[in-house]
Amino acid sequence: MNRSRVEAFSDGVFAIAITLLVLTIAQPTNYHALAHQLGQRWPSLAAYVVSFVVIGIEWVNHHTVFLHLQRIDRAMFYLNLALLMTIVFLPYPTEVFGEALVKGSDARTAAVFYSVVMTINACVWAVTWLYASMGRRLLTAEFPEAHRRMSTLLFTIGPLPYAIAIGLAFVNPYVCLGFHGLLALYYAFDPISQRLNRG
Amino acid sequence: MNRSRVEAFSDGVFAIAITLLVLTIAQPTNYHALAHQLGQRWPSLAAYVVSFVVIGIEWVNHHTVFLHLQRIDRAMFYLNLALLMTIVFLPYPTEVFGEALVKGSDARTAAVFYSVVMTINACVWAVTWLYASMGRRLLTAEFPEAHRRMSTLLFTIGPLPYAIAIGLAFVNPYVCLGFHGLLALYYAFDPISQRLNRG
Amino acid sequence: MNRSRVEAFSDGVFAIAITLLVLTIAQPTNYHALAHQLGQRWPSLAAYVVSFVVIGIEWVNHHTVFLHLQRIDRAMFYLNLALLMTIVFLPYPTEVFGEALVKGSDARTAAVFYSVVMTINACVWAVTWLYASMGRRLLTAEFPEAHRRMSTLLFTIGPLPYAIAIGLAFVNPYVCLGFHGLLALYYAFDPISQRLNRG
Amino acid sequence: MNRSRVEAFSDGVFAIAITLLVLTIAQPTNYHALAHQLGQRWPSLAAYVVSFVVIGIEWVNHHTVFLHLQRIDRAMFYLNLALLMTIVFLPYPTEVFGEALVKGSDARTAAVFYSVVMTINACVWAVTWLYASMGRRLLTAEFPEAHRRMSTLLFTIGPLPYAIAIGLAFVNPYVCLGFHGLLALYYAFDPISQRLNRG
């Protein structure tokens, strides 16, 4: 299978998923109290920002991983499809989370739901990486062995912080959203992956 | 007509159609019983997963067929447009199917509708392939004759399983959805088309 | 301005506009009479098919015109933007037209609206072509002078059939929709433009 | 990070954001008074046109800036992501603005909201340019120093007209929308940036 066409298809899916996020912020229902209604929607805006950064980072991650693949086999294509499926799904829990915080009812459930989807996404990433890298199955010869071991460690523990987010959701949904934002910031500036990228 | 621009346009349409599938899962209407409402929506999620894999597989299929075309004439462009029209339409029956299962009313009709759309899609695939391959009209010289005959057989009987799905829809809509899922899995791992792809 | 990036951007816009058409068919509101409701929506499906083919043909047209441009200047970019604006807008009158026919009320107004938007689109095409071709401003040296004159004639009279469609809308909205479908078929198999394309 | 893949991803996001604008015009709610309802929606159409031209111009701008970058580092990627976030968000205030003008209630708030989003967008542009150009950090060697200084001036004062638009929103929301339209026209034909582009 042609790597660059799979990348182009994936890029398109990422670009659309990130853009559809704007639809997750509910339009005002009452235009006589517009300022009040717009102000009320800040948690939806916050969820929009967090999910936007998350998808942006996953795009960089996808870009980096595929750069080190020398070929894509059928199983890898379907793992990539499963990965895209969890990313395309993200606007749904984002809307639910933002809306629940705006309405102030059952926001804990929404926070758990959002965090579970993120955890599943991290698990699919881990499986995808393990499939591609075990025995260097699909990796290019240039990719250093030390980087492979470090990446395997990072992808394998990747679901852990999201599992913690599930726990935080039970404590307080706002803390949970903030934690997702901090995680996104961490991944954006993460010194380990920066070193790997440069490698 | 330039093959790579038709491919790029088609890839864009596939990427958007697959991403719009997320809009087929209805947002919760009652945030006081969020966990219950999210749980109730599992058939919509199942329909989302099945249609996602279907569009993903059709993308691979499209990719493979176009790889073996040496040129695209006007008729082929319009057959491709008809094909894209049935794929772009898919989110509609997916939403109807999922929603009917969630609401538990008239789900048989929805299952028939979904299966009919899939059957039409398979028919358009068959016509497209027959047009491109009969007398090797648009095929590259390298494409082996034996593969052409086998592909023609496979594309021609392609609508058959979906016609069976129409029958199953009358028996039970859940069985019908499961059957579509199994068909998608079969096509994903199908040894015949794998051999053809390698050819 | 780089021609291939403007083309890629335009291709993306075409691909998304054509895919958004699926959202113009209203979801059923009553799942107890699903078969009846789906059957009732056939005018929305017909409008979807017509607009899908129209956007597909406009994509071919765009592709062909840009193939003969040797460069894109700032004015051409903004004319192209105006063209895309009328194409991106198309799902709106498509939804209004289909919905009005389904509801059976004020369908004449909807048919006029649809036809007016199509007429404006044809006018923007004419202006865009005239700007690009007058004095061979942006055309490649290889584009034959005879083809230029013929194309200028065709683009200039382009809005005429859509003006006729406006008239037909007052007679009968179904006739008007059928006329738009026939126009699309005509452009798909149009012998003159086929000759030009080959030229 | 590969510049052309970041550009392709950004192009996709621009193309989708500009196309989603069509969803900002509310469908008619009453098909017995269709002509009246369509006529009433002209402010939504006007807001659609203005935002369409704005995103089109920002695409040209993005295209031009990235043309002069010799590389993209991690910080630049995240600044670009922030930029895309404000552009993807644009359909939201566009819908609010158009809808508020149509409903004729609280349109001043909507105009302020639209103008504030545009101001933030201009600020992110300024920060992005300053990051890329200060000390010629990411610029190509060919980009003339005089152009860099002029561009820095233009990007830095860029938020100013939008801040004026915030003020105009308090005077009259229609004047504010017209001012945004004029600003877009100015940027489309702006002699300074034209000179820079040619440079």
Side-chain angles (χ1 to χ4, degrees), chain B residues 29 49 54 103 121 127 135 143 159 171 174:
Chain B
T29 50
V49 171
V54 164
K103 289 195 190 325
N121 173 255
V127 173
F143 192 68
V171 179
Y174 291 101

Side-chain angles (χ1 to χ4, degrees), chain C residues 13-177:
Chain C
V13 170
F14 272 102
I16 304 153
I18 213 171
T19 312
L20 285 186
L21 284 173
V22 70
L23 303 180
T24 65
I25 312 170
Q27 282 295 312
T29 50
N30 178 356
Y31 275 80
H32 292 291
L34 189 54
H36 176 68
Q37 289 224 333
L38 290 175
Q40 265 188 328
R41 273 155 181 71
W42 74 262
S44 284
L45 186 64
Y48 163 79
V49 171
V50 171
S51 291
F52 200 98
V53 179
V54 164
I55 296 183
I57 289 167
E58 300 215 16
W59 181 80
V60 179
N61 212 5
H62 191 272
H63 181 44
T64 310
V65 167
F66 273 65
L67 214 61
H68 298 308
L69 301 182
Q70 63 173 347
R71 62 189 182 88
I72 292 175
D73 62 10
R74 193 166 264 245
M76 185 64 189
F77 175 79
Y78 287 106
L79 284 170
N80 184 48
L81 199 64
L83 196 58
L84 293 178
M85 202 193 286
T86 62
I87 291 161
V88 162
F89 187 64
L90 215 55
Y92 188 81
T94 303
E95 184 163 351
V96 169
F97 198 179
E99 195 72 359
L101 288 172
V102 169
K103 290 194 190 326
S105 69
D106 233 346
R108 252 160 239 211
T109 308
V112 170
F113 180 47
Y114 186 84
S115 306
V116 166
V117 172
M118 293 297 297
T119 310
I120 292 170
N121 174 256
C123 289
V124 179
W125 267 113
V127 173
T128 305
W129 173 256
L130 287 175
Y131 176 78
S133 67
M134 270 177 74
R136 309 187 62 88
R137 190 186 274 117
L138 306 174
L139 294 181
T140 58
E142 293 78 31
F143 192 68
E145 187 59 16
H147 283 192
R148 184 184 71 80
R149 276 193 299 269
M150 178 56 103
S151 297
T152 298
L153 180 68
L154 291 175
F155 274 115
T156 311
I157 64 171
L160 209 75
Y162 297 107
I164 294 173
I166 299 177
L168 286 175
F170 284 103
V171 179
N172 184 305
Y174 289 100
V175 171
C176 176
L177 182 58

Side-chain angles (χ1 to χ4, degrees), chain D:
Chain D
M1 215 167 291
N2 186 283
R3 200 191 78 181
S4 72
R5 259 196 94 184
V6 174
E7 282 179 334
F9 177 70
S10 306
D11 281 4
V13 170
F14 272 102
I16 303 153
I18 212 171
T19 313
L20 285 186
L21 283 173
V22 69
L23 303 180
T24 64
I25 312 170
Q27 283 293 312
T29 50
N30 178 357
Y31 276 80
H32 292 291
L34 189 55
H36 177 68
Q37 288 223 334
L38 290 175
Q40 265 188 329
R41 272 154 181 73
W42 74 263
S44 285
L45 186 64
Y48 163 79
V49 171
V50 170
S51 290
F52 200 98
V53 179
V54 164
I55 296 183
I57 288 167
E58 300 216 15
W59 181 80
V60 179
N61 211 6
H62 191 273
H63 180 45
T64 309
V65 167
F66 273 65
L67 214 62
H68 298 309
L69 302 183
Q70 62 173 349
R71 62 189 181 88
I72 292 175
D73 63 10
R74 192 164 265 246
M76 185 63 189
F77 175 80
Y78 287 105
L79 284 170
N80 184 49
L81 200 64
L83 196 57
L84 293 178
M85 202 193 287
T86 62
I87 291 160
V88 161
F89 186 64
L90 215 56
Y92 188 79
T94 303
E95 183 162 350
V96 168
F97 198 0
E99 194 72 357
L101 288 171
V102 169
K103 290 195 191 323
S105 69
D106 232 347
R108 252 160 238 211
T109 308
V112 170
F113 180 46
Y114 186 85
S115 305
V116 165
V117 172
M118 293 298 296
T119 310
I120 292 171
N121 173 255
C123 291
V124 179
W125 267 113
V127 172
T128 305
W129 172 256
L130 287 175
Y131 176 79
S133 68
M134 269 177 74
R136 308 186 62 88
R137 191 186 273 118
L138 306 175
L139 295 179
T140 57
E142 293 77 32
F143 192 68
E145 187 60 17
H147 284 192
R148 184 183 72 82
R149 276 194 299 268
M150 177 57 102
S151 298
T152 299
L153 179 68
L154 291 175
F155 275 115
T156 312
I157 63 170
L160 209 76
Y162 297 107
I164 294 172
I166 299 177
L168 286 175
F170 285 104
V171 179
N172 184 305
Y174 290 100
V175 170
C176 176
L177 183 58
F179 183 69
H180 280 289
L182 286 176
L183 266 180
L185 278 185
Y186 170 75
Y187 280 122
F189 296 104
D190 168 25
I192 305 178
S193 76
Q194 278 193 35
R195 191 146 39 82
L196 288 180
N197 282 344
R198 247 174 283 129

Side-chain angles (χ1 to χ4, degrees), chain A residues 6 13 15 19 43 47 50 59 64 69 77 79-80 107 109 115 123 131 134 139-140 146 158 164 171 190-191 198:
Chain A
V6 174
V13 170
T19 313
V50 170
W59 181 80
T64 310
L69 301 183
F77 175 80
L79 284 170
N80 184 47
T109 308
S115 305
C123 289
Y131 177 78
M134 269 177 74
L139 295 180
T140 57
I164 295 172
V171 179
D190 168 25
R198 247 174 283 130

Side-chain angles (χ1 to χ4, degrees), chain B residues 156-170:
Chain B
T156 312
I157 64 171
L160 210 75
Y162 296 107
I164 294 173
I166 299 177
L168 286 175
F170 286 103

